[in-house]
Amino acid sequence: MSSMVRFTLDGREASAPEGELLVHAAARHGVFIPTLCHDDKLDPYGGCRMCVVGVEGSPRPLPACATRVAEGMVVSTNSNVPAFRKTLTEMLLAEHLDPNPGGRPNELTDLAADLDAEAPFILPDAKRKEYEDRNRLMGYTPDACILCNRCVRYTQEVMQCSALSLEGRGPHARIVPTWERSWLDTECELCGGCLSVCPTGAIFEKFLEGTEQPERELVKTKTTCTFCGVGCQLDLNVDPETNRIVKVTSEPHYVSNEGNLCVKGRFAFNFVHHPDRLTKPMVRREDGELHETSWEDALQVAADGLNRVKAEHGPQAIGFLASARLTMEENFLIQKLARSVVGTNSIHSCEAT
Amino acid sequence: MIGSNTTEAHPVLALRMKKAARKGATIVVADPRKIWLTKLAKRHLQLRPGSDVWLVNAMMHVILKEGLQDEEYIREHTEDFEAVAEVVSRYTPEEAEKVTGVPAADIVATAREYATEKHAAVFYTLGITEHACAVDNIWSLSNLVLMTGHLGYESTGLNALRGQNNVQGLNDAGANPAYFPGYQPADSAEIRQKFSEAWGVEVPETPGYRLDQIMSGLHDGRIRALYLIGENPAQTEPNAHHVMEGLEHVDFLITQDLFLNDMTERLADVVFPASSFAEKDGTFTNTERRVNRVRKALPCPGEAREDWQIVVDMAKAMGGNWPEYRTPEDAWNEFADLAPFWTGIRYDRIEEVGLQWPCTDRDHPGTPYLHAPSPSRPNGKGKFYPVEYQPPIEQPDSEYPFVLSTGRTLYHYNSATMTMREEGVVQKQEDPFVEMHPDDAAALGVQDGDWVRLVSRRGELEARAAVGERVYPGLVWMALHFAQAKVNWLTHDVGDPLIGTPEYKTSAIRIEPVGSALKPAAR
């Protein structure tokens, strides 16, 4: 364990583990320093300067997201910093043409509201080149992008692939898939990590037609992913009016995935609403075809069928194949059905490997 | 990493490995293919499919020859070490190179690094288990771990990465012929007595059939009725044409699923419309034995029902005398009361963060890693099992010259009934494809993206050639996800003699060109 150091925060005595980032040390002492380019999943960056603080002995303010606490440091977050922060926010707003693409939360407009900042004017060259992509999962609106580079850093540091890059300079700058190819033709694995770290919703989920809904009105249900054994924790975001999953999100504090998801966990949920879903019980009649029927009838036919085989050939003639798709509780009940009602131990699954 | 394509099969877990590599961890990948992780790996041991025992035995040979084993651990915590020492003395790295294709120097270097690093862990997936020598493979890795004492503390051990969302929970729950819930052996009279009393009915003594025995039982008439829940053996089981013939013999077939498939549409007598994970409460247990809550976010569509409810309804319809289950939690509590390792896990404790079993009472914090302070056997001693190499069942020959190996990809999931219904994912990977080396493609006159026909002794299919150096010459690889080109039409069904695990990882096939490409193959 690292040793503790003492420092001064806005005139108060404080302590923190040596080497802790100032932004974290301050937060533990109840001082919230706003950030835009910072993300705990990523290396310290210090790009947007929103988190600058005064440090005694330093000729300039320093970014709290990239400065580490040291013994005896004297830090001030409230001298001339708020004015600087407000100006910075206004500069960003002056070229922030689209504050709400895809209905995602926007950390910049939230911050502007806190600071009572408004765009003093719109820069004449604020409009950036549009970006269209044929992939059906993710979209990007340059007019919402503040070039914090979180998305690019996520691909480089977390995914460790070359999927996105910052292209162009000044008013032409924007984020593009590497070499301006389609998202589908780069190393991108479509995990959507980039949009999960985007502070302004510039990268967003492309919604199925008719399901678009502002973030704040969706109902979140925390659950466990149905793809693979990692057990990622995620939130199904359901539109309460249509009862459809609109998107999937995850939070950085979730065990075991720390807010990360893969392409399946984040995007492959539409099977739930697919028109091919079975919605009525069916039984095969004498004409050899499957016919829809009532639950009562289907259960009776099924029970009679199993009871008949059991009577003629004994319980060993009935096999059960369960599934890892199902919950623990369901599998428990299925094996109980096999063992305690049918009377066979022949209960297995393809997960036998 | 041995036999685990982690970035595709467990993408989010792979992020931890990527993070570790960034912090300086050494990764060695043993895999027949150049999988993504080889980019971060210090070394790639590109072994031939099915030669794992040679590789691992040779590593142990080096460790013992150089005296790198943990003598104290072997003495205090293991038994039968000598038998393994005797066997591996014959597995030299030089001979291993001839069988595995891995340079002897790489085997030696890996053995040294693994043995001398305190926090060294082995991760494996189906590349190890989907062989006729599955148990041998596990035993040889277990020997390696025991010999070096890399067990019972953090960042060590022999770690199986569970492929499906609730494989762990499924087995924990007792959906297994050999075990009652909580791995309580079905061949124990005492255990059967316990469950008979708990359930108020005599539980069966006759041993149950394993999956492979159920499948063969379809052919010889031992199995007359089948209740399939969320499962399509006609795609996921090896030698799938043969499985299909067997299913046609069955007198009575019930399927409980989200979708119909080409098999159930033709053969099912009763179809129960079931629930997706978003439509019910319950738990999934992940690969680290963590019991996580699943929560209902939506009602089932139409008249579909939650699976637990269907099973309860079936028990009632068949005349079973069950207590009333109002919610899945009632079923969990019954399980936890009967299974000692889970007794301490209750829904109110796993609202925020799941607990890892064993967790034996309400104050137990859960168990992040097993085998501490000594291996979890009744006598506290880890057992060495000497293992000799067995070649794969089906070897390539002049008629079927290629080795076919199979697996999963990032973009799909098993029989892909879920992922093939997601347009944005299908965009990335739509057509069936087969990975082959450029040399083989050139010899066959095949370009990247061309359709080729794959033929084995059991079946044939068409797929697009994905030409590249992920595989070595003579090896081709295909994913199991494609309904129109089921790779299990090709695979053989001779499994492990002890547990019946099929040898999905090696079959012999031949390849014939079919036509030219309109677009490049997906990868």
Side-chain angles (χ1 to χ4, degrees):
Chain A
M1 289 297 287
S2 53
S3 57
M4 299 293 281
V5 294
R6 305 194 64 77
F7 70 108
T8 307
L9 180 66
D10 292 337
R12 290 186 295 146
E13 287 289 303
S15 64
E18 186 174 9
E20 188 177 32
L21 290 173
L22 260 181
V23 66
H24 294 149
R28 284 194 301 100
H29 291 90
V31 177
F32 173 71
I33 302 173
T35 60
L36 281 178
C37 73
H38 177 72
D39 191 296
D40 285 340
K41 287 196 188 84
L42 307 174
D43 291 347
Y45 188 62
C48 74
R49 316 312 276 185
M50 194 57 73
C51 67
V52 290
V53 293
V55 175
E56 215 169 85
S58 163
R60 291 184 300 276
L62 296 175
C65 75
T67 305
R68 296 183 187 279
V69 178
E71 181 68 38
M73 200 178 240
V74 179
V75 180
S76 112
T77 68
N78 53 13
S79 51
N80 56 350
V81 170
F84 173 81
R85 199 170 281 150
K86 188 171 176 181
T87 307
L88 198 56
T89 305
E90 288 168 351
M91 286 167 65
L92 288 169
L93 291 171
E95 48 183 350
H96 193 59
L97 297 179
D98 184 353
N100 203 268
R104 293 182 64 83
N106 185 328
E107 293 175 30
L108 176 62
T109 51
D110 287 352
L111 186 63
D114 284 351
L115 297 171
D116 207 14
E118 281 178 22
F121 47 79
I122 296 295
L123 287 171
D125 54 3
K127 181 80 190 154
R128 301 209 196 108
K129 197 172 141 197
E130 293 294 328
Y131 179 80
E132 281 295 327
D133 191 84
R134 70 177 204 276
N135 93 82
R136 291 180 189 158
L137 302 178
M138 291 181 286
Y140 169 64
T141 303
D143 286 340
C145 180
I146 57 169
L147 303 174
C148 68
N149 234 20
R150 275 202 219 174
C151 52
V152 177
R153 290 183 289 138
Y154 186 92
T155 63
Q156 291 170 344
E157 296 171 20
V158 179
M159 292 301 288
Q160 301 187 28
C161 69
S162 164
L164 296 175
S165 52
L166 179 60
E167 174 231 45
R169 302 174 72 87
H172 303 296
R174 52 180 201 157
I175 305 293
V176 290
T178 306
W179 307 117
E180 274 196 80
R181 287 189 284 201
S182 164
W183 247 295
L184 297 172
D185 300 326
T186 68
E187 287 183 358
C188 175
E189 295 181 355
L190 304 173
C191 71
C194 53
L195 65 83
S196 77
V197 297
C198 179
T200 59
I203 304 180
F204 54 88
E205 296 92 345
K206 284 184 180 169
F207 299 103
L208 288 179
E209 213 172 325
T211 58
E212 199 162 334
Q213 188 80 14
E215 169 91 3
R216 283 156 233 257
E217 294 174 25
L218 300 175
V219 177
K220 288 187 179 188
T221 302
K222 185 182 174 190
T223 190
T224 303
C225 184
T226 189
F227 297 103
C228 111
V230 177
C232 293
Q233 300 296 292
L234 48 80
D235 292 313
L236 299 175
N237 292 237
V238 173
D239 178 339
E241 287 188 10
T242 60
N243 253 331
R244 291 180 72 102
I245 303 169
V246 173
K247 64 179 177 179
V248 174
T249 53
S250 185
E251 299 292 331
H253 65 272
Y254 286 179
V255 177
S256 317
N257 53 312
E258 303 171 326
N260 299 308
L261 293 172
C262 77
V263 57
K264 294 192 287 286
R266 191 182 303 278
F267 293 115
F269 54 81
N270 283 311
F271 75 91
V272 170
H273 303 298
H274 200 279
D276 291 350
R277 276 290 296 273
L278 293 167
T279 57
K280 275 190 187 305
M282 291 188 279
V283 297
R284 194 172 299 278
R285 303 281 189 212
E286 280 163 8
D287 63 0
E289 300 293 321
L290 286 171
H291 294 271
E292 290 183 351
T293 185
S294 68
W295 269 103
E296 199 180 4
D297 180 50
L299 286 163
Q300 201 55 54
V301 172
D304 291 348
L306 292 188
N307 280 332
R308 191 180 63 241
V309 170
K310 185 175 162 180
E312 287 171 15
H313 304 283
Q316 280 298 92
I318 302 175
F320 284 77
L321 293 185
S323 170
R325 284 301 71 65
L326 302 184
T327 63
M328 158 83 210
E329 292 75 2
E330 289 164 340
N331 280 300
F332 173 78
L333 292 171
I334 292 162
Q335 65 84 35
K336 185 174 173 179
L337 180 70
R339 289 184 162 121
S340 83
V341 179
V342 172
T344 176
N345 283 306
S346 301
I347 159 81
H348 215 182
S349 72
C350 83
E351 289 74 57
T353 57
Chain B
M1 308 298 314
I2 183 159
S4 164
N5 183 6
T6 323
T7 59
E8 297 208 48
H10 302 90
V12 175
L13 191 138
L15 298 183
R16 296 288 188 91
M17 293 171 180
K18 293 178 183 180
K19 198 169 169 181
R22 241 180 136 230
K23 287 183 178 169
T26 301
I27 295 178
V28 175
V29 172
D31 199 288
R33 293 192 302 153
K34 279 195 188 113
I35 55 173
W36 194 97
L37 270 180
T38 59
K39 288 199 242 181
L40 298 186
K42 179 173 182 182
R43 197 172 301 116
H44 176 204
L45 311 177
Q46 193 166 13
L47 78 172
R48 298 191 180 110
S51 65
D52 307 75
V53 163
W54 253 106
L55 176 69
V56 179
N57 275 0
M59 279 179 66
M60 287 189 273
H61 177 98
V62 174
I63 288 168
L64 293 182
K65 193 174 158 196
E66 302 190 3
L68 302 175
Q69 71 274 27
D70 186 337
E71 286 289 356
E72 192 189 330
Y73 192 89
I74 294 169
R75 196 170 54 243
E76 300 294 324
H77 299 297
T78 71
E79 59 191 26
D80 298 344
F81 167 69
E82 294 72 20
V84 168
E86 194 276 316
V87 166
V88 302
S89 68
R90 287 182 268 113
Y91 285 73
T92 65
E94 293 70 28
E95 284 300 309
E97 177 170 339
K98 292 178 195 160
V99 182
T100 62
V102 178
D106 286 352
I107 298 174
V108 172
T110 306
R112 285 179 187 152
E113 284 163 6
Y114 175 75
T116 53
E117 169 59 52
K118 184 167 174 4
H119 291 280
V122 177
F123 294 89
Y124 72 90
T125 313
L126 305 178
I128 282 297
T129 54
E130 289 183 349
H131 291 283
C133 56
V135 174
D136 290 348
N137 284 346
I138 303 286
W139 274 338
S140 64
L141 287 171
S142 157
N143 293 338
L144 175 70
V145 170
L146 285 174
M147 180 177 287
T148 50
H150 287 153
L151 194 63
Y153 55 98
E154 252 181 325
S155 308
T156 61
L158 177 56
N159 303 278
L161 302 181
R162 295 297 204 164
Q164 302 186 38
N165 54 318
N166 197 30
V167 192
Q168 186 68 52
L170 163 96
N171 286 298
D172 300 348
N176 187 305
Y179 296 106
F180 276 75
Y183 303 101
Q184 302 180 77
D187 60 6
S188 152
E190 199 183 324
I191 294 302
R192 288 196 305 275
Q193 177 71 17
K194 171 179 169 177
F195 280 87
S196 295
E197 278 171 22
W199 292 342
V201 55
E202 198 66 30
V203 297
E205 186 180 344
T206 316
Y209 297 128
R210 294 186 314 244
L211 172 66
D212 57 315
Q213 295 165 330
I214 292 176
M215 289 297 128
S216 62
L218 297 172
H219 288 272
D220 60 24
R222 277 177 296 134
I223 295 289
R224 301 295 185 122
L226 203 54
Y227 190 165
L228 294 177
I229 305 171
E231 186 106 359
N232 179 11
Q235 178 151 358
T236 55
E237 291 312 302
N239 198 357
H241 285 311
H242 190 64
V243 170
M244 195 69 180
E245 285 163 24
L247 288 164
E248 281 168 12
H249 292 152
V250 81
D251 292 346
F252 195 70
L253 181 68
I254 305 173
T255 178
Q256 176 174 326
D257 215 325
L258 303 183
F259 304 105
L260 278 181
N261 57 50
D262 46 7
M263 186 276 286
T264 50
E265 190 161 13
R266 214 155 55 75
L267 298 179
D269 293 290
V270 180
V271 177
F272 292 141
S275 54
S276 78
F277 80 119
E279 295 151 2
K280 59 198 171 193
D281 284 302
T283 60
F284 292 155
T285 302
N286 78 353
T287 189
E288 48 176 359
R289 287 169 284 101
R290 191 184 299 280
V291 181
N292 287 315
R293 273 301 310 276
V294 173
R295 291 186 182 84
K296 185 178 170 87
L298 296 168
C300 294
E303 292 178 33
R305 277 190 192 171
E306 298 173 32
D307 292 77
W308 65 272
Q309 185 68 56
I310 301 173
V311 177
V312 168
D313 293 343
M314 265 303 282
K316 198 170 167 191
M318 290 189 72
N321 183 26
W322 280 14
E324 191 191 347
Y325 295 95
R326 286 156 304 162
T327 63
E329 188 174 5
D330 291 340
W332 173 271
N333 287 336
E334 180 178 325
F335 163 74
D337 288 343
L338 287 165
F341 279 176
W342 289 262
T343 298
I345 303 180
R346 303 290 160 152
Y347 276 21
D348 62 345
R349 290 188 72 192
I350 55 172
E351 271 302 311
E352 291 298 318
V353 180
L355 279 165
Q356 290 167 285
W357 66 263
C359 178
T360 46
D361 62 61
R362 288 209 59 122
D363 299 321
H364 194 292
T367 309
Y369 46 87
L370 299 172
H371 309 300
S374 53
S376 304
R377 289 181 73 232
N379 65 0
K381 303 260 189 202
K383 187 167 165 62
F384 281 96
Y385 289 89
V387 172
E388 298 277 10
Y389 169 71
Q390 305 289 339
I393 304 282
E394 193 172 63
Q395 298 288 344
D397 55 26
S398 55
E399 200 180 346
Y400 298 99
F402 288 95
V403 175
L404 167 73
S405 190
T406 72
R408 293 187 173 118
T409 76
L410 173 63
Y411 298 98
H412 291 298
Y413 193 55
N414 290 12
S415 56
T417 57
M418 303 194 289
T419 48
M420 279 297 177
R421 289 182 165 88
E422 187 65 55
E423 290 177 357
V425 174
V426 172
Q427 263 189 317
K428 191 82 183 180
Q429 214 167 61
E430 184 173 9
D431 293 329
F433 65 95
V434 55
E435 293 180 353
M436 66 170 75
H437 192 272
D439 293 353
D440 290 332
L444 289 162
V446 166
Q447 307 278 330
D448 186 47
D450 283 357
W451 286 94
V452 292
R453 184 175 298 119
L454 277 57
V455 186
S456 84
R457 290 182 175 85
R458 293 153 296 275
E460 61 177 67
L461 57 81
E462 289 183 10
R464 288 177 179 277
V467 179
E469 296 190 1
R470 263 164 80 94
V471 288
Y472 59 78
L475 175 70
V476 297
W477 182 92
M478 193 170 162
L480 71 93
H481 309 304
F482 303 98
Q484 72 277 41
K486 297 180 174 64
V487 76
N488 283 322
W489 289 335
L490 307 180
T491 53
H492 71 79
D493 54 2
V494 181
D496 185 278
L498 209 58
I499 56 170
T501 308
E503 190 157 63
Y504 292 108
K505 297 304 184 196
T506 57
S507 301
I509 64 158
R510 69 166 182 267
I511 300 174
E512 300 161 357
V514 177
S516 62
L518 296 173
K519 57 179 180 180
R523 280 182 184 79

